[in-house]
Amino acid sequence: MKKEVDFTKVVAHAKEYGFVFPSSEIYDGLAAVYDYGQLGVELKNNIKQYWWRAMVQMHENIVGLDSAIFMHPRIWKASGHVDAFNDPLIDNKDSKKRYRADVLIEDHIAKMEEKIEKEVEKGRKRWGESFDEAQFRATNARVLEHQQKIDEIHTRFAEVMNANDLAGLKQLILDLEIVCPISGTRNWTDVRQFNLMFATKMGSVIDDSDTLYLRPETAQGIFVNFLNVQKSGRMKVPFGIAQIGKAFRNEIVARQFIFRMREFEQMEMQFFVRPGTELEWFKHWKEERMQWHQALGIPAECYRFHDHEKLAHYANAATDIEFRFPFGFKELEGIHSRTDFDLGRHSEFSGKKLQYFDPELNESYTPYVIETSIGVDRMFLAVFSHALKEETLEDGSVRTVLSLPTRLAPYKAAVLPLVKKDGLPEKAREVQHLLMPDMMVQYDEKDAIGRRYRRQDAIGTPFCITVDNDTLNDNSVTVRHRDTMQQERVSIDQLLNRIKN
Ligand code: GAP
């Protein structure tokens, strides 16, 4: 039987096996900043490659970009980040702890959603095979009562957020009787705004005009290069520009491991379309991005869309793809219809016309934009936490297995000589070198074979290839499959193809 593990085990496993370390750990760490270890960097690179292949390589009308982190400070004025990239903060006067007011409300809603899930679970246990979940959700009195409350909170929440009504936000927290998790009291300060951008200075003579910001998103690097790419690449609308790169945000409530970090990486694509066609393209990208996630083989019920009630002033549609993390459903990716806001603002602030001449319409216009934006680290956490399982075997022992999708696994295969003598290590090295040009392969000869299998299970290696005495005679090896633990004999001549398939 396979069982998902709790979140503390996910964090511990990531560290123990060299996936993720707290940054600057020997100096007691730096809050919400993490380093990726020897296996983490492989998994992360594979995620980036999986995205790049799907978005750039598989679309002839999408090209890549690698823009600088430092950009002209007026860019952030034009984008709205200087004036409006804020989080609403609230302090508890007793514990002196600071919270994001909107997150307190979202957490409150999540707890109510959990209550609904518990009712559904109870129903499932009670009715067994004949349980009709959809009907239960539509008719059960308790579920309906919780849902009605959630809907009411959502409506009020959207109203105060849309109106930027900080007093209303505080009142909602008071009305919902939300308490500080540390002090347990409702002794809250007023809500105020806090800008999330990190500032730094450029050059040796420092005054205010030299203030630069570490980019809080990679998107603006794409917008300001719109004309460069369109003209030099002779791109025709609709077309997209994709970029992977670091972003920085001074997150106040930085928690849940690599879910919310101060330095993180984004994979963003801006798709430029004819005005008036943007909602069709929004729908298209919504579906295509969900397919991308599900193609990894993670069950569909781990994902859901969350359409935004509070639309940013520049957007005319927005949705999140949420993933079921160990701490509940949370945003994994955002898909936004950003209208002509970004190109329009950069035209205004730079004085350069960022337009496209459409030969079919014989007119120039400012293209509209559909954005897809996903955090590499959040994607890492999604696949890693979902993959980590504890499995009770028939003999009662427990094995920890990281069932990563094969294309994302750091090592695709491990080559293991059964014993460290009789020419088996030499033969195993031959097998290793046969596979190395095509995939990441690990060689391991230390400890009993069972322990070596377990080590590979724990780091997600899909195939263990064992070289034994028979290998020297029949030129074949035993291939053990990580998830089923089944073994098969494969000729070395066919090994590469077998594994690649
Ligand atoms: N350009 C649009 C944009 O940046 P966003 O919703 O703020 O939109 C997009 O961020 C994605 O970036 C999120 O869905 C999430 O995956 C990731 N992300 C945002 N803030 C993050 C943080 N502090 N730590 C890790 N990932 C983050």
Side-chain angles (χ1 to χ4, degrees), residues 217 249 251 259 261 264 266 268 331-332 371 373 375:
E217 61 172 18
R249 296 183 188 178
E251 299 281 2
F259 180 80
M261 302 156 87
F264 58 101
Q266 287 186 315
E268 297 200 294
E331 175 186 343
L332 172 59
E371 166 183 77
S373 174

Side-chain angles (χ1 to χ4, degrees), residues 85 216-219 249 251 258-262 264-266 268 270 320 331-334 336 338 371 373-378:
F85 193 51
E217 61 172 18
T218 61
R249 296 183 188 178
E251 299 281 2
I258 54 173
F259 180 80
R260 200 181 300 285
M261 302 156 87
R262 295 200 166 109
F264 58 101
E265 227 171 330
Q266 287 186 315
E268 297 200 294
Q270 310 296 330
D320 294 336
E331 175 186 343
L332 172 59
E333 166 156 9
H336 313 122
R338 300 180 66 119
E371 166 183 77
S373 174
I374 174 168
V376 180
D377 314 84
R378 227 172 252 193

Side-chain angles (χ1 to χ4, degrees), residues 95 181 232 322 365 384 396:
S95 67
S232 61
E322 293 188 338
Y365 53 76
F384 188 86

